[in-house]
Amino acid sequence: MPKLTSAQLHTQVGRLQRSLKRERAKRQELERALKESGEQQTATSEILRVISSSPTDLTPVFGTIVANATRLCEAQLGNLFSYDGDAFHAVAHHNASPPFVDILRGPLHPGPETGLHQWLSVPRPFQIADMRVQIEASKLLTYRAAVRSEIAGVRISREASMAKVFATEACNAIAARAVQIFGGYGYSKEYAVERYYRDARVTTIYEGTSEIQRMVVSKNLLAGR
Ligand SMILES: Cc1cc2nc3c(=O)[nH]c(=O)nc-3n(C[C@H](O)[C@H](O)[C@H](O)COP(=O)(O)OP(=O)(O)OC[C@H]3O[C@@H](n4cnc5c(N)ncnc54)[C@H](O)[C@@H]3O)c2cc1C
């Protein structure tokens, strides 16, 4: 092994220190994600336990939901509301003082300048439905190409390219919407959604860009295949 000069040794040590720092940060992030996932599972099983022990009365279920949500968000207090399409009604509180609970006693009609009103104006359920439809369509295109690939002698370049371009563009659109739904948190590293957004971006570039996949599809179609 060639002898290293002190300058080379210094550079190597610096590189190793930076690499160690990166690995430590990654480990911390994984530990945090693992802890959060464990806490979410505990919360879910607690809520399910309360649902099964109280099938007719929703009060204890709402109480457990708001208590767990407050803990998971590391918040000081939490309030849970139902929405009947017109107004909000408080259904459970955690750590909220009695005067505050009195103020929240509904029905509450959020004014146009409030965060709740803005939240209501975003059609979330439809966004989520659209995202799911795109995922299912991507899966079906991919399965179709995979099934055809099992048949000896059958060309699948058209089906494979269709699946690749559709699934990767859907993945980008879905990740972008997910970031938007999360608002400011979508941009922060506190939630994995910003990483999904970054990870999604490369999929329309590597393994054949979207433009090249479209060329493959067009060539096949124009050749009557
Ligand atoms: C994270 C990552 C991992 C990778 N891993 C691998 C790997 O393991 N193995 C490997 O071989 N490669 C790998 N690549 C390379 C990857 O496959 C190429 O980046 C990809 O093929 C695009 O080539 P390019 O970057 O040279 O872009 P270019 O070919 O310069 O294209 C630039 C843009 O022009 C468009 N374009 C190019 N030609 C046309 C055309 N005729 N008509 C219309 N539009 C066109 C492209 O779609 C693209 O949008 C990786 C890339 C990344 C980013």
Side-chain angles (χ1 to χ4, degrees), residues 202 205-209 211-212 215:
V202 75
I205 298 170
Y206 63 15
E207 297 291 337
T209 63
E211 289 77 11
I212 300 302
M215 279 172 57

Side-chain angles (χ1 to χ4, degrees), residues 29-45 71-72:
E29 173 59 22
L30 285 172
E31 282 173 355
R32 193 194 62 74
L34 190 66
K35 183 168 168 269
E36 193 175 304
S37 149
E39 284 173 350
Q40 283 176 5
Q41 275 181 16
T42 308
T44 308
S45 57
R71 183 174 49 78
L72 285 175

Side-chain angles (χ1 to χ4, degrees), residues 8-132:
Q8 285 171 326
L9 208 56
H10 191 72
T11 313
Q12 284 273 34
V13 170
R15 206 174 288 149
L16 285 171
Q17 279 174 336
R18 283 194 296 279
S19 160
L20 186 66
K21 201 172 158 191
R22 274 198 304 274
E23 292 305 319
R24 278 197 179 130
K26 267 193 221 165
R27 199 187 71 188
Q28 275 177 358
E29 173 59 22
L30 285 172
E31 282 173 355
R32 193 194 62 74
L34 190 66
K35 183 168 168 269
E36 193 175 304
S37 149
E39 284 173 350
Q40 283 176 5
Q41 275 181 16
T42 308
T44 308
S45 57
E46 198 181 329
I47 292 164
L48 290 174
R49 187 181 52 72
V50 177
I51 290 173
S52 61
S53 65
S54 176
T56 49
D57 183 10
L58 285 176
T59 313
V61 178
F62 288 148
T64 311
I65 289 173
V66 74
N68 277 285
T70 308
R71 183 174 49 78
L72 285 175
C73 296
E74 295 175 5
Q76 289 179 351
L77 61 93
N79 300 291
L80 184 65
F81 297 88
S82 67
Y83 180 63
D84 62 9
D86 173 52
F88 287 89
H89 306 268
V91 291
H93 307 276
H94 183 71
N95 282 348
S97 65
F100 189 43
V101 170
D102 264 352
I103 294 171
L104 296 180
R105 211 175 297 281
L108 298 174
H109 296 273
E113 74 290 348
T114 63
L116 267 182
H117 190 272
Q118 285 167 22
W119 182 82
L120 278 175
S121 60
V122 180
R124 278 176 188 75
F126 298 114
Q127 293 200 50
I128 288 168
D130 288 348
M131 288 151 91
R132 186 65 193 215

